Amino acid sequence: MIAAVDWSQVFNFADYGELIVLLRNSIIAGALLGLVGGLIGVFVMSRDMAFAVHGISELSFAGASAGLLLGVGVVQGSIIGSLIAALLIGLLGARARERNSITAVLMPFGLGLGILCLALYPGRSANKFGLLTGQIVAIDDPQIGWLIAVTLVVLIGLAVVWRPLMFASVDADVATARGVPVRGLSIVFMLLLGLSVAVSVQIVGALLVLSILVTPAAAALKVSASPLVVPLLSVAFGVTAMVGGILLALGSSVPISPYVTTISFAIYAACRAIAAVRTRRSSAPRPAPVREAQEGALA
Amino acid sequence: MPADATRSGSDPVLSLRGATLRFDDRTLWSGVDLDVQPGEFVAVLGANGTGKTSLLRVILGQQRLTRGEVLFEGEPVRAGNPGIGYVPQQKLADDGTPLRARDLVGLGLDGGRWGFWPSRRKRAVVDRLLAEVGATSYARKPVSRLSGGEQQRLRIGQALAADPHLLLADEPLASLDLSNQRAISELIDRQRRERGFGVLFVTHDINPVLGMVDRVLYLAGGRFRTGTPDDVLRSEVLSELYGSPVDVIRARGRIIVVGTPDSGHAPHDEHHDAGHEELCDHDPSDAEAVAL
Ligand SMILES: Nc1ncnc2c1ncn2[C@@H]1O[C@H](COP(=O)(O)OP(=O)(O)O)[C@@H](O)[C@H]1O
Ligand SMILES: [Mg+2]
């Protein structure tokens, strides 16, 4: 006989109000991550760095595992791992091709290192899995404090460098000619990206970081090209995915990541569909006058 | 130096004095003397690899001269000079770009300013610039959806945003069709007359700007010639410059240069066709007689 899923275990919304109060911190952290992910994702997309994000997240995982093993702390370890990876990729991979190969080299190394640290760690196995696939519910108060602080650093940093970073991302040649410190901004961006990845690893897990640092921005770019609308939409999508995922996960035995990734993916699919409909509409009217003209001639 | 004094006086906006650029053992050009006056339109001609882009990089303060000096409004050039507008070699924006036409122009105005909040006067200034370059009708379209000619207008608008005294345009006509070539050339010509900025216009093909340029800087084989098009684009002058017989043919208001030698200074340049310079307007039937 096939083992039936006990849906009352997967979804159990009794005591929901109590749970929400209990996990208020997690919800705040999730919302902040949605905010940060949505904003930094715009630059990840315009700098074409999705693959690099994935690479950083694996080294962040290695750092977190080492932090767990050595007792430094998961969050602290993951931040250190992230920053090292982000700087390496930023300094060595100025050109896209070079960046991709460095990322591809770092990624399995980080994953292997993380697995080694976890194998040596004597503690509970649930924690171990959580670093790869998400564990926000398991995070305690001091860790939430760290995550919120890091998130604020990223938000403030982005607010300061936003416009010159956008200039440097879309038009490095002209930005350089205009005296924008393109190289310095690229390093600053990598550091902010590293911090964002470290926070994401804690919440959605190293394997699923892209769902919050890339998918919302990619979705927003499908439906708009305005430098104001894209970040706003991207943030709305990111926060929806994060908070929605946490709220759904509260009443279930499934971790939050599947909810987050599914909501995020659904939003992206919807935006693609909207974009497709729009292109069809904008290209459709063209044959119409011709047909009318022909009909007119026939009449 | 006050801007207005520079523009109304006869001080050159750009001066090259004995400018020499050498990479490793290869001399791109040496001893170049050139003054660009305010409002003057100078075309920079030369085959691939003769160092035209490098010349612009020198003026932008991104590349140091091996010898000589380069002055912008009497001062040694420096990186990030807002008085110099720059239209780089065509690069089409790709899909992940969160910019509309007007935003690209706007970056020319405040792209270097920290923060994220736009200034109040930005909107009106960008509207005016869009109108000046004829881009108002697609102001709100995503840059990635625009044609090469449309993007080139925006780049010019972006460069004009800082009200430059010198405009550097690196092959702004490359990959444009003939009507767009004419439109872009005329746009730059009109703007430099109205605003009075000097122009250094890098091009493979002089013909689209033949009626507009005041002088040319012709680079070939590590050497150069400057002068009016009539002075420089002559069989004797180019034959002497190349060190081998070259014919300059004028037909129907166009100039065609025939028989330029494959430049021995770039033997590794695979894009280089043997027997003539790539100074053509990409007409296959012109394989022998190549328009300069
Ligand atoms: N920083 C550099 N170091 C070494 N060689 C360079 C450098 N920059 C350009 N070059 C070489 O100088 C030559 C001229 O380049 P470029 O100025 O781009 O020519 P053009 O724009 O006329 O085609 C090329 O062969 C290029 O490889
Ligand atoms: Mg060039």
Side-chain angles (χ1 to χ4, degrees), chain A residues 80-274:
Chain A
I80 293 169
S82 264
L83 290 181
I84 290 174
L87 277 180
L88 277 177
I89 293 174
L91 291 174
L92 303 179
R95 273 173 298 157
R97 185 189 297 273
E98 188 68 15
R99 187 165 66 228
N100 281 346
S101 53
I102 286 167
T103 304
V105 167
L106 284 179
M107 207 158 67
F109 170 68
L111 209 48
L113 199 64
I115 291 168
L116 173 68
C117 292
L118 288 186
L120 298 176
Y121 179 65
R124 284 191 305 128
S125 61
N127 264 354
K128 302 179 177 181
F129 208 48
L131 285 174
L132 283 173
T133 59
Q135 57 168 4
I136 189 171
V137 181
I139 281 180
D140 54 22
D141 263 7
Q143 281 181 319
I144 288 282
W146 264 94
L147 295 186
I148 292 176
V150 171
T151 308
L152 289 178
V153 168
V154 177
L155 286 178
I156 293 168
L158 276 181
V160 171
V161 301
W162 188 276
R163 189 171 24 226
L165 181 61
M166 182 58 76
F167 199 3
S169 302
V170 300
D171 209 345
D173 288 343
V174 179
T176 307
R178 290 294 298 276
V180 174
V182 171
R183 189 101 184 101
L185 279 171
S186 142
I187 300 299
V188 168
F189 172 72
M190 289 311 286
L191 293 176
L192 296 177
L193 180 61
L195 292 176
S196 315
V197 169
V199 174
S200 317
V201 167
Q202 307 303 312
I203 296 176
V204 291
L207 294 180
L208 309 171
V209 161
L210 292 178
S211 70
I212 208 67
L213 294 191
V214 170
T215 315
L221 279 164
K222 281 284 162 212
V223 293
S224 175
S226 150
L228 182 66
V229 174
V230 167
L232 287 180
L233 270 184
S234 176
V235 163
F237 295 162
V239 171
T240 305
M242 281 309 305
V243 175
I246 292 172
L247 291 181
L248 284 175
L250 278 190
S252 85
S253 59
V254 178
I256 70 152
S257 353
Y259 295 104
V260 173
T261 53
T262 305
I263 296 174
S264 197
F265 177 75
I267 292 173
Y268 178 77
C271 287
R272 269 207 89 106
I274 292 171

Side-chain angles (χ1 to χ4, degrees), chain B:
Chain B
M1 186 181 296
D4 290 347
T6 310
R7 286 187 178 197
S8 54
S10 59
D11 288 340
V13 64
L14 177 76
S15 306
L16 295 162
R17 300 260 176 274
T20 301
L21 184 61
R22 188 173 297 144
F23 289 125
D24 305 323
D25 56 340
R26 194 180 141 205
T27 301
L28 291 187
W29 25 262
S30 71
V32 176
D33 291 314
L34 176 72
D35 281 341
V36 179
Q37 304 296 334
E40 193 179 21
F41 194 144
V42 177
V44 181
L45 302 169
N48 274 341
T50 47
K52 305 182 296 297
T53 298
S54 301
L55 174 65
L56 299 193
R57 286 175 44 77
V58 164
I59 297 165
L60 288 167
Q62 296 171 7
Q63 172 69 54
R64 286 180 52 155
L65 285 174
T66 313
R67 237 183 307 114
E69 61 175 357
V70 51
L71 305 174
F72 174 71
E73 299 189 325
E75 307 276 333
V77 291
R78 58 184 172 88
N81 195 325
I84 302 180
Y86 178 44
V87 177
Q89 219 155 344
Q90 180 105 357
K91 187 189 72 189
L92 291 171
D94 54 21
D95 258 353
T97 308
L99 291 183
R100 300 159 304 172
R102 59 175 305 118
D103 308 314
L104 190 73
V105 173
L107 282 176
L109 202 61
D110 64 3
R113 269 228 323 273
W114 301 104
F116 60 96
W117 205 250
S119 68
R120 286 176 132 235
R121 64 178 198 104
K122 180 174 173 180
R123 210 188 156 76
V125 177
V126 169
D127 282 340
R128 205 194 65 227
L129 286 164
L130 286 165
E132 281 184 38
V133 299
T136 307
S137 62
Y138 49 90
R140 307 184 75 83
K141 269 206 191 173
V143 173
S144 55
R145 302 272 171 73
L146 299 176
S147 72
E150 288 169 332
Q151 291 198 9
Q152 205 60 284
R153 284 169 188 271
L154 296 177
R155 286 191 166 290
I156 293 167
Q158 186 190 49
L160 296 183
D163 205 10
H165 298 182
L166 177 68
L167 179 70
L168 308 178
D170 199 350
E171 308 211 19
L173 307 183
S175 75
L176 296 185
D177 59 27
L178 281 175
S179 68
N180 270 311
Q181 288 188 1
R182 192 175 316 122
I184 295 297
S185 313
E186 282 168 1
L187 172 61
I188 290 178
D189 188 41
R190 191 174 67 243
Q191 289 294 329
R192 61 113 180 185
R193 287 174 196 281
E194 284 173 11
R195 293 171 173 250
F197 56 77
V199 179
L200 219 50
F201 188 104
V202 172
T203 179
H204 268 120
D205 182 3
I206 182 88
N207 286 303
V209 289
L210 194 53
M212 306 167 189
V213 297
D214 300 311
R215 280 188 301 151
V216 300
L217 166 63
Y218 197 120
L219 302 173
R223 311 200 298 159
F224 72 95
R225 284 289 179 280
T226 54
T228 65
D230 286 341
D231 289 341
V232 175
L233 301 176
R234 287 188 305 161
S235 299
E236 326 73 277
V237 176
L238 291 192
S239 295
E240 197 208 325
L241 177 63
Y242 281 107
S244 67
V246 169
D247 284 319
V248 178
I249 300 166
R250 287 167 185 261
R252 296 173 195 272
R254 292 173 66 81
I255 294 185
I256 300 168
V257 179
V258 188
T260 57
D262 184 29
S263 33
H265 57 275
H268 50 274
D269 189 348
E270 285 167 17
H271 306 296
H272 219 100
D273 292 344
H276 65 270
E277 305 241 275
E278 270 187 35
L279 300 170
C280 55
D281 43 11
H282 306 293
D283 184 350
S285 68
D286 252 349
E288 288 304 314
V290 175
L292 173 93

